[in-house]
Short mmCIF file of all heavy atoms in Angstrom, two decimals:
data_model
loop_
_atom_site.label_atom_id
_atom_site.label_comp_id
_atom_site.label_asym_id
_atom_site.label_seq_id
_atom_site.Cartn_x
_atom_site.Cartn_y
_atom_site.Cartn_z
N LEU B 26 -69.13 -39.73 -15.92
CA LEU B 26 -70.54 -39.53 -15.58
C LEU B 26 -71.22 -38.60 -16.58
O LEU B 26 -72.34 -38.86 -17.02
CB LEU B 26 -70.66 -38.91 -14.18
CG LEU B 26 -70.60 -39.84 -12.97
CD1 LEU B 26 -70.66 -39.03 -11.68
CD2 LEU B 26 -71.71 -40.87 -12.99
N VAL B 27 -70.52 -37.53 -16.93
CA VAL B 27 -71.09 -36.55 -17.88
C VAL B 27 -71.33 -37.23 -19.23
O VAL B 27 -72.42 -37.12 -19.81
CB VAL B 27 -70.14 -35.34 -18.05
CG1 VAL B 27 -70.62 -34.42 -19.17
CG2 VAL B 27 -70.04 -34.55 -16.74
N THR B 28 -70.33 -37.93 -19.70
CA THR B 28 -70.44 -38.58 -21.02
C THR B 28 -71.61 -39.57 -21.03
O THR B 28 -72.34 -39.67 -22.00
CB THR B 28 -69.13 -39.31 -21.36
OG1 THR B 28 -68.07 -38.38 -21.20
CG2 THR B 28 -69.14 -39.85 -22.76
N LYS B 29 -71.76 -40.27 -19.92
CA LYS B 29 -72.80 -41.29 -19.86
C LYS B 29 -74.21 -40.69 -19.82
O LYS B 29 -75.13 -41.23 -20.42
CB LYS B 29 -72.58 -42.15 -18.61
CG LYS B 29 -73.50 -43.32 -18.50
CD LYS B 29 -73.20 -44.14 -17.29
CE LYS B 29 -74.32 -45.14 -17.05
NZ LYS B 29 -74.25 -45.75 -15.74
N HIS B 30 -74.37 -39.59 -19.11
CA HIS B 30 -75.72 -39.08 -18.87
C HIS B 30 -76.08 -37.83 -19.66
O HIS B 30 -77.21 -37.37 -19.58
CB HIS B 30 -75.89 -38.79 -17.38
CG HIS B 30 -75.84 -40.01 -16.52
ND1 HIS B 30 -76.89 -40.90 -16.42
CD2 HIS B 30 -74.85 -40.51 -15.74
CE1 HIS B 30 -76.55 -41.88 -15.60
NE2 HIS B 30 -75.32 -41.68 -15.18
N LYS B 31 -75.14 -37.25 -20.40
CA LYS B 31 -75.39 -35.96 -21.05
C LYS B 31 -76.60 -35.98 -21.98
O LYS B 31 -77.40 -35.04 -21.99
CB LYS B 31 -74.14 -35.49 -21.80
CG LYS B 31 -73.81 -36.39 -22.99
CD LYS B 31 -72.62 -35.94 -23.75
CE LYS B 31 -72.22 -36.93 -24.80
NZ LYS B 31 -73.16 -37.22 -25.87
N ASP B 32 -76.74 -37.06 -22.76
CA ASP B 32 -77.80 -37.06 -23.76
C ASP B 32 -79.19 -37.17 -23.13
O ASP B 32 -80.14 -36.55 -23.60
CB ASP B 32 -77.59 -38.20 -24.76
CG ASP B 32 -76.44 -37.88 -25.72
OD1 ASP B 32 -76.09 -36.68 -25.83
OD2 ASP B 32 -75.89 -38.80 -26.33
N ARG B 33 -79.27 -37.96 -22.07
CA ARG B 33 -80.59 -38.07 -21.44
C ARG B 33 -80.99 -36.74 -20.80
O ARG B 33 -82.15 -36.33 -20.87
CB ARG B 33 -80.68 -39.23 -20.45
CG ARG B 33 -79.64 -39.22 -19.36
CD ARG B 33 -79.92 -40.27 -18.30
NE ARG B 33 -79.97 -41.64 -18.85
CZ ARG B 33 -79.98 -42.72 -18.09
NH1 ARG B 33 -79.96 -42.62 -16.78
NH2 ARG B 33 -80.02 -43.91 -18.62
N VAL B 34 -80.02 -36.05 -20.23
CA VAL B 34 -80.30 -34.72 -19.66
C VAL B 34 -80.73 -33.77 -20.78
O VAL B 34 -81.74 -33.07 -20.67
CB VAL B 34 -79.07 -34.16 -18.91
CG1 VAL B 34 -79.29 -32.72 -18.49
CG2 VAL B 34 -78.75 -35.01 -17.69
N PHE B 35 -79.96 -33.81 -21.86
CA PHE B 35 -80.26 -32.90 -22.97
C PHE B 35 -81.65 -33.17 -23.55
O PHE B 35 -82.40 -32.24 -23.84
CB PHE B 35 -79.19 -33.05 -24.05
CG PHE B 35 -79.38 -32.13 -25.22
CD1 PHE B 35 -79.15 -30.77 -25.08
CD2 PHE B 35 -79.83 -32.61 -26.44
CE1 PHE B 35 -79.35 -29.90 -26.15
CE2 PHE B 35 -80.03 -31.75 -27.51
CZ PHE B 35 -79.79 -30.39 -27.37
N ASN B 36 -81.98 -34.46 -23.72
CA ASN B 36 -83.28 -34.79 -24.32
C ASN B 36 -84.45 -34.35 -23.45
O ASN B 36 -85.48 -33.92 -23.96
CB ASN B 36 -83.35 -36.29 -24.62
CG ASN B 36 -82.70 -36.60 -25.95
OD1 ASN B 36 -83.10 -36.09 -27.00
ND2 ASN B 36 -81.65 -37.41 -25.92
N VAL B 37 -84.27 -34.47 -22.13
CA VAL B 37 -85.34 -34.02 -21.24
C VAL B 37 -85.50 -32.50 -21.37
O VAL B 37 -86.61 -32.00 -21.58
CB VAL B 37 -85.04 -34.40 -19.76
CG1 VAL B 37 -86.02 -33.72 -18.82
CG2 VAL B 37 -85.10 -35.91 -19.57
N VAL B 38 -84.38 -31.81 -21.29
CA VAL B 38 -84.43 -30.34 -21.34
C VAL B 38 -84.99 -29.88 -22.68
O VAL B 38 -85.89 -29.03 -22.73
CB VAL B 38 -83.02 -29.72 -21.12
CG1 VAL B 38 -83.08 -28.20 -21.25
CG2 VAL B 38 -82.47 -30.10 -19.76
N TYR B 39 -84.49 -30.46 -23.75
CA TYR B 39 -84.93 -30.04 -25.08
C TYR B 39 -86.43 -30.32 -25.28
O TYR B 39 -87.15 -29.51 -25.86
CB TYR B 39 -84.11 -30.73 -26.17
CG TYR B 39 -84.48 -30.26 -27.55
CD1 TYR B 39 -84.02 -29.04 -28.02
CD2 TYR B 39 -85.33 -31.01 -28.35
CE1 TYR B 39 -84.38 -28.58 -29.28
CE2 TYR B 39 -85.70 -30.55 -29.61
CZ TYR B 39 -85.22 -29.36 -30.06
OH TYR B 39 -85.59 -28.89 -31.30
N SER B 40 -86.88 -31.46 -24.77
CA SER B 40 -88.30 -31.80 -24.91
C SER B 40 -89.16 -30.81 -24.13
O SER B 40 -90.31 -30.58 -24.48
CB SER B 40 -88.58 -33.21 -24.41
OG SER B 40 -87.82 -34.13 -25.15
N LEU B 41 -88.60 -30.27 -23.05
CA LEU B 41 -89.39 -29.35 -22.23
C LEU B 41 -89.39 -27.93 -22.78
O LEU B 41 -90.39 -27.24 -22.69
CB LEU B 41 -88.88 -29.35 -20.78
CG LEU B 41 -89.10 -30.66 -19.99
CD1 LEU B 41 -88.54 -30.51 -18.58
CD2 LEU B 41 -90.57 -31.02 -19.93
N ILE B 42 -88.25 -27.48 -23.31
CA ILE B 42 -88.22 -26.07 -23.73
C ILE B 42 -88.13 -25.89 -25.24
O ILE B 42 -88.43 -24.82 -25.74
CB ILE B 42 -87.10 -25.27 -23.03
CG1 ILE B 42 -85.71 -25.66 -23.54
CG2 ILE B 42 -87.15 -25.41 -21.53
CD1 ILE B 42 -84.66 -24.65 -23.13
N GLY B 43 -87.69 -26.93 -25.94
CA GLY B 43 -87.69 -26.87 -27.41
C GLY B 43 -86.73 -25.87 -28.03
O GLY B 43 -87.00 -25.37 -29.11
N ARG B 44 -85.67 -25.56 -27.32
CA ARG B 44 -84.69 -24.62 -27.89
C ARG B 44 -83.29 -25.17 -27.71
O ARG B 44 -82.88 -25.47 -26.59
CB ARG B 44 -84.79 -23.27 -27.19
CG ARG B 44 -86.13 -22.64 -27.42
CD ARG B 44 -86.31 -21.44 -26.57
NE ARG B 44 -87.70 -21.03 -26.64
CZ ARG B 44 -88.14 -19.85 -26.30
NH1 ARG B 44 -87.30 -18.95 -25.85
NH2 ARG B 44 -89.41 -19.56 -26.37
N ASP B 45 -82.61 -25.26 -28.83
CA ASP B 45 -81.35 -25.98 -28.86
C ASP B 45 -80.25 -25.33 -28.02
O ASP B 45 -79.69 -25.94 -27.12
CB ASP B 45 -80.90 -26.08 -30.32
CG ASP B 45 -79.89 -27.18 -30.50
OD1 ASP B 45 -80.29 -28.35 -30.40
OD2 ASP B 45 -78.71 -26.85 -30.70
N ARG B 46 -79.97 -24.07 -28.32
CA ARG B 46 -78.85 -23.38 -27.65
C ARG B 46 -79.08 -23.28 -26.14
O ARG B 46 -78.19 -23.57 -25.34
CB ARG B 46 -78.72 -21.98 -28.28
CG ARG B 46 -77.59 -21.12 -27.80
CD ARG B 46 -76.24 -21.72 -28.08
NE ARG B 46 -75.47 -21.83 -26.85
CZ ARG B 46 -74.37 -22.53 -26.70
NH1 ARG B 46 -73.90 -23.25 -27.68
NH2 ARG B 46 -73.73 -22.54 -25.57
N GLU B 47 -80.31 -22.90 -25.78
CA GLU B 47 -80.61 -22.75 -24.36
C GLU B 47 -80.61 -24.10 -23.65
O GLU B 47 -80.22 -24.18 -22.48
CB GLU B 47 -81.96 -22.04 -24.20
CG GLU B 47 -81.84 -20.56 -24.49
CD GLU B 47 -83.16 -19.90 -24.76
OE1 GLU B 47 -84.06 -20.56 -25.30
OE2 GLU B 47 -83.29 -18.71 -24.45
N SER B 48 -81.01 -25.14 -24.37
CA SER B 48 -80.98 -26.48 -23.77
C SER B 48 -79.54 -26.84 -23.42
O SER B 48 -79.28 -27.42 -22.35
CB SER B 48 -81.54 -27.52 -24.73
OG SER B 48 -82.88 -27.24 -25.01
N GLN B 49 -78.61 -26.51 -24.29
CA GLN B 49 -77.20 -26.82 -24.02
C GLN B 49 -76.69 -26.07 -22.79
O GLN B 49 -75.95 -26.62 -21.98
CB GLN B 49 -76.35 -26.49 -25.24
CG GLN B 49 -76.62 -27.44 -26.39
CD GLN B 49 -75.70 -27.21 -27.57
OE1 GLN B 49 -74.57 -26.77 -27.41
NE2 GLN B 49 -76.17 -27.52 -28.76
N ASP B 50 -77.12 -24.82 -22.67
CA ASP B 50 -76.73 -24.04 -21.48
C ASP B 50 -77.27 -24.68 -20.21
O ASP B 50 -76.58 -24.73 -19.19
CB ASP B 50 -77.27 -22.59 -21.59
CG ASP B 50 -76.56 -21.82 -22.69
OD1 ASP B 50 -75.49 -22.27 -23.14
OD2 ASP B 50 -77.09 -20.78 -23.12
N ILE B 51 -78.51 -25.14 -20.29
CA ILE B 51 -79.12 -25.75 -19.10
C ILE B 51 -78.40 -27.05 -18.75
O ILE B 51 -78.16 -27.34 -17.57
CB ILE B 51 -80.63 -25.99 -19.32
CG1 ILE B 51 -81.33 -24.64 -19.46
CG2 ILE B 51 -81.24 -26.77 -18.16
CD1 ILE B 51 -82.78 -24.72 -19.85
N VAL B 52 -78.04 -27.83 -19.77
CA VAL B 52 -77.31 -29.08 -19.51
C VAL B 52 -76.01 -28.77 -18.75
O VAL B 52 -75.66 -29.43 -17.77
CB VAL B 52 -76.99 -29.82 -20.83
CG1 VAL B 52 -76.08 -31.01 -20.59
CG2 VAL B 52 -78.26 -30.29 -21.49
N GLN B 53 -75.34 -27.73 -19.19
CA GLN B 53 -74.09 -27.34 -18.53
C GLN B 53 -74.36 -26.95 -17.07
O GLN B 53 -73.65 -27.35 -16.16
CB GLN B 53 -73.47 -26.17 -19.28
CG GLN B 53 -72.05 -25.89 -18.83
CD GLN B 53 -71.42 -24.76 -19.62
OE1 GLN B 53 -71.78 -24.52 -20.77
NE2 GLN B 53 -70.49 -24.08 -19.02
N GLU B 54 -75.42 -26.18 -16.88
CA GLU B 54 -75.80 -25.75 -15.53
C GLU B 54 -76.13 -26.96 -14.64
O GLU B 54 -75.74 -27.02 -13.46
CB GLU B 54 -77.02 -24.82 -15.65
CG GLU B 54 -77.57 -24.28 -14.35
CD GLU B 54 -76.64 -23.31 -13.66
OE1 GLU B 54 -75.85 -22.67 -14.37
OE2 GLU B 54 -76.68 -23.23 -12.41
N VAL B 55 -76.81 -27.93 -15.23
CA VAL B 55 -77.17 -29.15 -14.48
C VAL B 55 -75.91 -29.86 -13.98
O VAL B 55 -75.79 -30.19 -12.80
CB VAL B 55 -78.02 -30.10 -15.36
CG1 VAL B 55 -78.13 -31.49 -14.72
CG2 VAL B 55 -79.40 -29.53 -15.60
N PHE B 56 -74.95 -30.04 -14.89
CA PHE B 56 -73.75 -30.78 -14.49
C PHE B 56 -72.87 -29.97 -13.54
O PHE B 56 -72.15 -30.55 -12.73
CB PHE B 56 -72.97 -31.25 -15.73
CG PHE B 56 -73.59 -32.48 -16.34
CD1 PHE B 56 -74.24 -32.42 -17.56
CD2 PHE B 56 -73.57 -33.70 -15.67
CE1 PHE B 56 -74.83 -33.55 -18.11
CE2 PHE B 56 -74.15 -34.83 -16.21
CZ PHE B 56 -74.80 -34.75 -17.43
N LEU B 57 -72.96 -28.66 -13.62
CA LEU B 57 -72.24 -27.84 -12.64
C LEU B 57 -72.83 -28.06 -11.24
O LEU B 57 -72.09 -28.19 -10.26
CB LEU B 57 -72.37 -26.36 -13.00
CG LEU B 57 -71.26 -25.78 -13.85
CD1 LEU B 57 -71.56 -24.34 -14.20
CD2 LEU B 57 -69.92 -25.86 -13.12
N LYS B 58 -74.15 -28.12 -11.20
CA LYS B 58 -74.81 -28.38 -9.91
C LYS B 58 -74.44 -29.76 -9.39
O LYS B 58 -74.22 -29.94 -8.20
CB LYS B 58 -76.33 -28.27 -10.06
CG LYS B 58 -76.83 -26.85 -10.15
CD LYS B 58 -78.35 -26.82 -10.20
CE LYS B 58 -78.83 -25.38 -10.32
NZ LYS B 58 -80.28 -25.30 -10.53
N VAL B 59 -74.37 -30.71 -10.31
CA VAL B 59 -73.98 -32.07 -9.91
C VAL B 59 -72.56 -32.04 -9.35
O VAL B 59 -72.28 -32.63 -8.30
CB VAL B 59 -74.07 -33.04 -11.12
CG1 VAL B 59 -73.46 -34.39 -10.78
CG2 VAL B 59 -75.51 -33.23 -11.54
N TYR B 60 -71.68 -31.34 -10.02
CA TYR B 60 -70.28 -31.24 -9.59
C TYR B 60 -70.20 -30.68 -8.17
O TYR B 60 -69.48 -31.20 -7.32
CB TYR B 60 -69.52 -30.33 -10.56
CG TYR B 60 -68.03 -30.23 -10.31
CD1 TYR B 60 -67.14 -31.06 -10.98
CD2 TYR B 60 -67.52 -29.30 -9.41
CE1 TYR B 60 -65.79 -30.97 -10.76
CE2 TYR B 60 -66.16 -29.20 -9.17
CZ TYR B 60 -65.30 -30.04 -9.85
OH TYR B 60 -63.95 -29.96 -9.62
N ARG B 61 -70.96 -29.63 -7.94
CA ARG B 61 -70.89 -28.96 -6.63
C ARG B 61 -71.55 -29.78 -5.52
O ARG B 61 -71.17 -29.67 -4.37
CB ARG B 61 -71.57 -27.59 -6.71
CG ARG B 61 -70.81 -26.60 -7.57
CD ARG B 61 -71.36 -25.20 -7.38
NE ARG B 61 -70.77 -24.30 -8.34
CZ ARG B 61 -71.42 -23.73 -9.35
NH1 ARG B 61 -72.70 -23.97 -9.52
NH2 ARG B 61 -70.80 -22.92 -10.18
N ASN B 62 -72.58 -30.54 -5.90
CA ASN B 62 -73.39 -31.18 -4.86
C ASN B 62 -73.27 -32.69 -4.77
O ASN B 62 -73.97 -33.31 -3.98
CB ASN B 62 -74.87 -30.81 -5.06
CG ASN B 62 -75.08 -29.32 -4.90
OD1 ASN B 62 -74.85 -28.77 -3.83
ND2 ASN B 62 -75.47 -28.66 -5.97
N LEU B 63 -72.39 -33.25 -5.57
CA LEU B 63 -72.28 -34.70 -5.60
C LEU B 63 -71.92 -35.28 -4.23
O LEU B 63 -72.34 -36.38 -3.87
CB LEU B 63 -71.24 -35.12 -6.65
CG LEU B 63 -71.34 -36.54 -7.19
CD1 LEU B 63 -72.74 -36.87 -7.66
CD2 LEU B 63 -70.36 -36.76 -8.33
N ARG B 64 -71.18 -34.54 -3.44
CA ARG B 64 -70.80 -35.04 -2.12
C ARG B 64 -72.00 -35.16 -1.18
O ARG B 64 -71.94 -35.83 -0.16
CB ARG B 64 -69.74 -34.14 -1.51
CG ARG B 64 -70.19 -32.72 -1.32
CD ARG B 64 -69.02 -31.84 -1.01
NE ARG B 64 -69.32 -30.44 -1.29
CZ ARG B 64 -68.89 -29.44 -0.57
NH1 ARG B 64 -68.14 -29.67 0.47
NH2 ARG B 64 -69.20 -28.22 -0.88
N PHE B 65 -73.09 -34.46 -1.52
CA PHE B 65 -74.29 -34.54 -0.68
C PHE B 65 -75.24 -35.65 -1.14
O PHE B 65 -76.25 -35.90 -0.49
CB PHE B 65 -75.06 -33.21 -0.66
CG PHE B 65 -74.22 -32.07 -0.15
CD1 PHE B 65 -73.86 -31.02 -0.98
CD2 PHE B 65 -73.79 -32.06 1.17
CE1 PHE B 65 -73.08 -29.98 -0.51
CE2 PHE B 65 -73.01 -31.02 1.65
CZ PHE B 65 -72.66 -29.98 0.81
N PHE B 66 -74.94 -36.25 -2.29
CA PHE B 66 -75.80 -37.33 -2.81
C PHE B 66 -75.66 -38.55 -1.91
O PHE B 66 -74.58 -39.11 -1.77
CB PHE B 66 -75.39 -37.65 -4.26
CG PHE B 66 -76.10 -38.85 -4.83
CD1 PHE B 66 -77.48 -38.89 -4.90
CD2 PHE B 66 -75.38 -39.94 -5.30
CE1 PHE B 66 -78.14 -39.99 -5.42
CE2 PHE B 66 -76.02 -41.05 -5.83
CZ PHE B 66 -77.40 -41.06 -5.88
#
Side-chain angles (χ1 to χ4, degrees):
Chain B
L26 277 177
V27 172
T28 308
K29 186 178 168 193
H30 295 284
K31 67 179 173 62
D32 286 342
R33 56 171 59 169
V34 172
F35 182 72
N36 277 301
V37 170
V38 177
Y39 184 78
S40 300
L41 293 180
I42 71 165
R44 296 170 191 198
D45 200 70
R46 183 62 235 166
E47 285 162 329
S48 298
Q49 290 186 29
D50 291 343
I51 295 173
V52 173
Q53 192 178 333
E54 179 68 28
V55 167
F56 281 110
L57 267 177
K58 284 184 181 173
V59 171
Y60 185 94
R61 291 192 189 112
N62 296 298
L63 202 51
R64 60 192 159 143
F65 301 114
F66 173 58

